[in-house]
Amino acid sequence: MSTTIVHFVRHGEVYNPDKILYGRIPGYHLSSRGHSMAARTAKAFEGHDVTYLAASPLQRAQETALPIAQVTGLEVDVDKGVIESGNRFEGLRTKGWNSQLWNPQRWPLMVNPLEPSWGEPFEEIAARMMDAAERARAKAEGHEAIVVSHQLPIVMVQRTVLGKRLAHAPWDRMCALASVTSLVYRDREIIDIFYSEPAQDI
């Protein structure tokens, strides 16, 4: 039997002065704090037996993967399967009293938060992320893999592995910036999951 660990890393803080929901919009890069977070998380993998590294194609994920590539000596494989979740509110301000979601024209998209009706269904996100986890496990069998992704997709992995309902409140997520969610496999079976925040103090 072989033991393999697949680490899902959330990207670092993004430079977003306009506070919009950027989703899959290209061009959103890490802030200076985000780069520091990425470097700290990369350092946490020093001495690990990492043989495979992948990241979402979005810029913030690629920038987070760069210091990990430097620490591990690996090239970054682009995996479109771990991209941010699709969201029809991309480009809008969605928080606070100036949120553009107060516009009644957008309310029909909010009729079913359990799906959710405004974006990519939770079940589809979970399925593509678990497929990506299996690809990474196979690539790094007997060693460790790192996959850089985004908050909601990683939360879908967590909830799937823990047997929790996929629909949830956003404040009920444990997936901080630059955090690491690790799946431990025995052969092809997930036997454990653990979570850490190497950049917590930044």
Side-chain angles (χ1 to χ4, degrees), residues 14 28 33 38 44 47-48 54 62 69 85 104 118 130 136 138 152 154 161 182:
V14 174
Y28 278 87
R33 179 171 177 251
H48 281 243
Q62 291 292 312
S85 54
W118 57 82
M130 295 309 296
L152 181 56
I154 295 173
V161 172
S182 304

Side-chain angles (χ1 to χ4, degrees), residues 27-45:
Y28 278 87
H29 58 86
L30 296 184
S31 66
S32 58
R33 179 171 177 251
H35 282 289
S36 296
M37 288 177 162
R40 178 69 61 83
T41 296
K43 187 174 177 61
F45 288 108

Side-chain angles (χ1 to χ4, degrees), residues 150-171:
H150 308 269
Q151 185 188 49
L152 181 56
I154 295 173
V155 169
M156 291 295 95
V157 171
Q158 294 171 343
R159 298 185 77 86
T160 298
V161 172
L162 294 172
K164 293 184 176 182
R165 188 181 187 188
L166 296 181
H168 64 285
W171 53 85

Side-chain angles (χ1 to χ4, degrees), residues 58-190:
L58 294 175
Q59 185 174 346
R60 58 192 184 271
Q62 291 292 312
E63 290 180 356
T64 301
L66 181 58
I68 299 174
Q70 293 169 343
V71 165
T72 60
L74 298 170
E75 293 185 2
V76 182
D77 189 14
V78 176
D79 190 339
K80 294 180 180 179
V82 300
I83 198 169
E84 178 66 278
S85 54
N87 194 311
R88 293 175 69 182
F89 296 142
E90 283 181 3
L92 302 180
R93 293 185 306 276
T94 59
K95 296 180 181 179
W97 288 108
N98 64 345
S99 169
Q100 292 172 288
L101 299 186
W102 293 112
N103 186 334
Q105 291 182 337
R106 297 190 173 94
W107 292 354
L109 290 175
M110 303 182 219
V111 294
N112 184 7
L114 301 180
E115 184 178 4
S117 51
W118 57 82
E120 185 180 6
F122 292 133
E123 290 79 6
E124 292 182 12
I125 303 169
R128 65 175 170 83
M129 289 298 292
M130 295 309 296
D131 285 346
E134 172 56 24
R135 286 195 297 276
R137 182 210 63 79
K139 292 275 189 178
E141 188 165 5
H143 305 277
E144 298 177 54
I146 299 173
V147 181
V148 182
S149 186
H150 308 269
Q151 185 188 49
L152 181 56
I154 295 173
V155 169
M156 291 295 95
V157 171
Q158 294 171 343
R159 298 185 77 86
T160 298
V161 172
L162 294 172
K164 293 184 176 182
R165 188 181 187 188
L166 296 181
H168 64 285
W171 53 85
D172 190 28
R173 296 175 182 172
M174 186 173 67
C175 190
L177 292 165
S179 62
V180 183
T181 296
S182 304
L183 308 184
V184 182
Y185 289 80
R186 180 171 296 148
D187 291 336
R188 299 183 63 174
E189 179 186 0
I190 298 172

